[in-house]
Amino acid sequence: MLLGASLVGVLLFSKLVLKLPWTQVGFSVLLLYLGSGGWRFVRIFIKTIRRDIFGGLVLLKVKAKLRRYLRERRTVPTLFASVVQRHPDKTALIFEGTDTHWTFRQLDDYSSSVANFLQARGLASGDVAALFMENRNEFVGLWLGMAKLGVEAALINTNLRRDALRHCLTTSRARALIFGSELAPAVCEIHGSLDPSLSLLCSGPWEASLVPTGTEHLDPLLDKAPKHLPARPDKGFTDKLFYIYTSGTTGLPKAAIVVHSRYYRMAALVYYGFRMRPDDIVYDCLPLYHSAGNIVGMGQCLLHGMTVVIRKKFSASRFWDDCIKYNCTIVQYIGELCRYLLNQPPREAETQHRVRMAIGNGLRQSIWTDFTSRFHIPQVAEFYGATECNCSLGNFDSQVGACGFNSRILSFVYPIRLVRVNEDTMELIRGPNGVCIPCQPGQPGQLVGRIIQQDPLRRFDGYLNQGSNNNKIAQDVFKKGDQAYLTGDVLVMDELGYLYFRDRTGDTFRWKGENVSTTEVEGTLSHLLDMADVAVYGVEVPGTEGRAGMAAVASPASSCDLEHFAQALEKELPLYARPIFLRFLPELHKTGTYKFQKTELRKEGFDLALVKDPVFYLDSRKGRYVPLDQEAYTRIQAGKEKL
């Protein structure tokens, strides 16, 4: 009887609320019932139906708003205008560095002056302006002002230097570069190779001798610019808003396209999914050039009227003091950040705050409970998503260790799936019919999302360079003739549909909160080592999040000037992408398709009991590579060596 009632409940919900065809609903439920066994279905149903219905309703709510704003040709600036109208004098932004408070009216006025200034300089809708600046209120006002004019902002990672920085500027076809004075040395390095027509504008403390020739001081120019709202550009909800650069899986940084609807979708899903409130105060210490800080965090200010506290950079020692000072109720994190906080000595401030929610990604199961219990945080809002992806996940009920879920009962509502994959090469495994094979509970697989361009929740906008999209799209995934987005990430699902993240083992891994492209690093190292074969992969280090970079080099160690090599790497790669470990061996084995075989290398890592080849590690105090002996290995294993 209970099973029958459960099935009837699912059928009614799916038909009346989700408005799905009876045939689709009935067939899916019948398959689940027959495939999983009667009482097992009842158990899964009882434990997950409330979660699944809530998630389905959140999707419906956001989808309805997306469709409405699509019809009305709304944009992020027009949605922000509604927020300003509701409470112009409420505090919108607080920059912790100078204790600067901006109201919504002040943010509106500043961004309008940016739009009017750029318009007077000849920029128009469809043009691109690059923004290269550390976190502060002006960062938000600058890209928002560009959006009011229809100018697309290229948000550049502040860690990038030389070739990577130059690449971002040239591929975006930016007509202007606005940079913070703190990054003037990086701009000076590449100034001679930039297009002479590129306008250079510097914001922040001004000293003419420290900026490239021809640079103008932006701040006084904006003070003189009109603050009225410029004429609305011909932009709609699916037009480009800005670009976020991601390492991706190959080559130099790639510009992921963020359209207005994507910005709204990402911010709204976490707002409704995690039950945020307009009176929440968000502590945002994540980089604003990434989607977590600038969309998930800042989006709550621009779209939902929350106050957001901006910190230039994360500080473990000041974190809880800031939260108390500004009455923060929500904090943002990445997994590494949580571990840094746990490594701090206990102090009174860590339990005197008003934080009720921590939102982010990468909080590992091993430290999840320690983090929530020590710092008295009731809710962990773990989510999964990438800037360009169409298959975001949310852990709406704080299931320890999970990055989200996929319903076992209403799976037809969520067009995402885990499919079987070769974890080493990330190649999809297909069945006799040519379609991908879904994973069963306990089987690791790649997360994919069905692409439906007409659906604002499922569209794929991809990258500015269309050629970069080919590696992210697969055919015949759910069924013949369809297309799906490939996340490149391996997850595993439990019996209740909760999904758990596994470190990347293909062409990327995470270190210091950033994605590292193995192919990009391999190309750089091979060039510096006179075209030697180099295989780069991530290895686990006790007490750290993600994986540290390790490079296996098919060359004798004696042939490499490691001191010069470390100096060259400092100029060519950002800090997070520089390999921590080097292993020199006679040769590297390749697959039949000429890819390096990394499985065994990854398993052996830097374990001196397994690796008999010469191994070196990057000594952060000396700034160079030194031999990894047993003493250093023991220090690293014990977490006493800073990497």
Side-chain angles (χ1 to χ4, degrees):
M1 181 179 295
L2 179 58
L3 177 57
S6 301
L7 291 172
V8 169
V10 174
L11 290 167
L12 290 175
F13 170 78
S14 303
K15 182 62 182 175
L16 299 179
V17 179
L18 303 182
K19 301 185 185 304
L20 295 171
W22 279 116
T23 52
Q24 184 179 4
V25 175
F27 183 67
S28 299
V29 173
L30 181 61
L31 280 181
L32 179 62
Y33 173 78
L34 294 176
S36 62
W39 286 109
R40 187 188 302 173
F41 173 85
V42 173
R43 176 180 174 275
I44 294 172
F45 177 87
I46 292 173
K47 286 183 172 289
T48 64
I49 189 60
R50 184 175 179 179
R51 175 201 70 184
D52 295 358
I53 289 177
F54 173 75
L57 291 175
V58 168
L59 286 176
L60 285 175
K61 185 180 186 71
V62 174
K63 191 171 186 176
K65 286 181 174 287
L66 284 166
R67 287 178 170 172
R68 173 189 160 194
Y69 296 152
L70 188 61
R71 291 194 307 270
E72 297 173 353
R73 288 181 57 79
R74 302 293 293 273
T75 61
V76 168
T78 62
L79 294 171
F80 172 69
S82 300
V83 175
V84 177
Q85 190 173 25
R86 288 199 299 272
H87 35 61
D89 297 319
K90 179 181 178 181
T91 299
L93 302 176
I94 302 173
F95 178 49
E96 180 278 335
T98 56
D99 205 28
T100 304
H101 292 59
W102 282 12
T103 65
F104 281 91
R105 192 198 313 272
Q106 288 174 308
L107 176 56
D108 190 36
D109 287 346
Y110 180 88
S111 57
S112 291
S113 68
V114 172
N116 289 313
F117 168 76
L118 293 177
Q119 187 175 52
R121 289 301 180 96
L123 272 73
S125 180
D127 287 334
V128 177
L131 185 55
F132 188 47
M133 179 184 291
E134 291 183 342
N135 286 8
R136 58 178 183 265
N137 293 359
E138 288 81 2
F139 187 103
V140 183
L142 284 164
W143 75 254
L144 181 60
M146 295 174 193
K148 286 185 174 182
L149 186 62
V151 170
E152 298 149 14
L155 309 180
I156 300 180
N157 187 322
T158 55
N159 291 294
L160 299 182
R161 297 293 185 272
R162 297 168 66 93
D163 288 347
L165 176 57
R166 186 185 302 109
H167 168 82
C168 292
L169 292 172
T170 55
T171 56
S172 67
R173 298 180 180 176
R175 291 189 55 192
L177 167 61
I178 298 176
F179 62 93
S181 56
E182 69 279 2
L183 293 169
V187 180
C188 287
E189 277 189 324
I190 63 169
H191 178 234
S193 60
L194 296 178
D195 188 331
S197 66
L198 180 70
S199 298
L200 299 178
L201 298 154
C202 178
S203 175
W206 175 257
E207 189 164 343
S209 62
L210 300 180
V211 298
T213 305
T215 301
E216 297 179 86
H217 192 197
L218 178 64
D219 301 345
L221 297 174
L222 292 181
D223 289 339
K224 299 174 184 177
K227 293 180 170 53
H228 63 78
L229 187 68
R232 180 176 174 179
D234 184 24
K235 288 269 190 175
F237 208 40
T238 55
D239 286 320
K240 295 173 185 174
L241 173 61
F242 54 56
Y243 307 109
I244 287 180
Y245 286 86
T246 172
S247 63
T249 56
T250 58
L252 290 163
K254 300 186 294 186
I257 298 170
V258 177
V259 299
H260 293 263
S261 61
R262 177 173 293 275
Y263 190 97
Y264 176 82
R265 186 200 80 192
M266 293 176 70
L269 283 172
V270 299
Y271 178 82
Y272 294 110
F274 295 118
R275 298 179 175 90
M276 294 179 176
R277 302 189 289 257
D279 61 347
D280 276 319
I281 299 176
V282 180
Y283 184 67
D284 189 348
C285 58
L286 303 183
L288 294 179
Y289 55 73
H290 274 341
S291 54
N294 202 15
I295 304 179
V296 175
M298 196 54 59
Q300 309 314 325
C301 169
L302 302 181
L303 302 177
H304 300 118
M306 291 186 199
T307 299
V308 174
V309 179
I310 299 173
R311 205 180 204 286
K312 184 169 75 169
K313 291 183 179 179
F314 164 70
S315 168
S317 62
R318 292 291 308 167
F319 190 90
W320 299 114
D321 292 326
D322 289 345
C323 290
I324 293 171
K325 179 178 179 179
Y326 298 110
N327 294 314
C328 297
T329 58
I330 297 175
V331 296
Q332 287 193 265
Y333 70 84
I334 54 174
E336 294 90 333
L337 183 154
C338 299
R339 192 179 290 277
Y340 294 149
L341 290 174
L342 283 170
N343 288 339
Q344 287 285 300
R347 49 201 306 264
E348 200 173 353
E350 67 188 34
T351 58
Q352 293 181 333
H353 55 77
R354 297 177 56 233
V355 174
R356 66 178 186 84
M357 179 192 305
I359 181 169
N361 50 58
L363 180 55
R364 294 295 184 263
Q365 191 166 2
S366 58
I367 64 171
W368 186 299
T369 303
D370 290 340
F371 180 75
T372 56
S373 60
R374 173 175 166 178
F375 301 125
H376 298 187
I377 298 179
Q379 181 183 1
V380 171
E382 175 85 5
F383 66 87
Y384 169 88
T387 303
E388 73 280 7
C389 86
N390 69 339
C391 48
S392 302
L393 304 171
N395 181 352
F396 294 153
D397 51 1
S398 294
Q399 172 73 12
V400 174
C403 61
F405 71 94
N406 191 24
S407 175
R408 302 287 319 281
I409 300 171
L410 306 174
S411 58
F412 43 82
V413 178
Y414 303 86
I416 62 174
R417 183 171 291 173
L418 279 188
V419 295
R420 299 289 301 279
V421 66
N422 181 320
E423 288 190 65
D424 202 37
T425 64
M426 295 305 290
E427 294 176 5
L428 300 174
I429 299 174
R430 299 178 180 273
N433 61 354
V435 175
C436 293
I437 303 173
C439 292
Q440 297 302 312
Q443 291 180 331
Q446 182 173 183
L447 182 68
V448 299
R450 180 180 292 168
I451 297 174
I452 307 173
Q453 286 301 107
Q454 298 76 24
D455 184 341
L457 276 175
R458 299 301 164 202
R459 59 179 286 131
F460 174 66
D461 299 298
Y463 301 97
L464 184 61
N465 178 0
Q466 290 300 310
S468 300
N469 294 329
N470 298 333
N471 294 329
K472 303 300 292 185
I473 298 176
Q475 314 291 329
D476 305 330
V477 177
F478 290 77
K479 62 180 181 180
K480 280 287 188 180
D482 70 358
Q483 288 188 320
Y485 166 81
L486 304 175
T487 64
D489 285 322
V490 176
L491 285 78
V492 64
M493 179 177 65
D494 68 13
E495 187 184 36
L496 300 180
Y498 288 107
L499 295 162
Y500 300 85
F501 184 81
R502 286 162 59 108
D503 280 329
R504 297 167 188 243
T505 56
D507 292 327
T508 60
F509 58 89
R510 285 183 68 81
W511 180 246
K512 301 291 185 183
E514 299 278 357
N515 292 335
V516 180
S517 165
T518 61
T519 49
E520 179 184 347
V521 179
E522 285 168 355
T524 301
L525 268 59
S526 179
H527 171 70
L528 293 176
L529 296 170
D530 296 325
M531 306 310 293
D533 279 346
V534 180
V536 174
Y537 45 95
V539 294
E540 294 181 351
V541 178
T544 65
E545 294 296 330
R547 292 175 180 253
M550 186 166 185
V553 183
S555 175
S558 58
S559 67
C560 179
D561 182 343
L562 290 178
E563 186 168 350
H564 173 75
F565 177 68
Q567 293 171 352
L569 273 185
E570 189 173 346
K571 295 178 180 178
E572 297 294 335
L573 292 173
L575 179 63
Y576 59 82
R578 298 170 204 160
I580 303 298
F581 301 99
L582 297 177
R583 174 180 178 178
F584 292 88
L585 66 174
E587 64 175 328
L588 288 172
H589 300 290
K590 297 180 181 179
T591 67
T593 55
Y594 302 102
K595 292 184 178 181
F596 292 124
Q597 293 179 338
K598 300 181 183 180
T599 303
E600 288 304 313
L601 294 172
R602 191 180 296 112
K603 288 179 180 178
E604 293 172 352
F606 58 97
D607 187 345
L608 296 181
L610 301 175
V611 180
K612 304 307 177 186
D613 305 306
V615 178
F616 297 79
Y617 77 100
L618 185 58
D619 188 320
S620 60
R621 294 166 298 180
K622 299 177 181 178
R624 58 186 174 88
Y625 287 96
V626 297
L628 180 69
D629 55 22
Q630 189 61 49
E631 182 182 349
Y633 177 80
T634 302
R635 288 199 309 271
I636 293 172
Q637 291 295 103
K640 296 180 179 179
E641 185 77 24
K642 184 179 179 182
L643 299 178

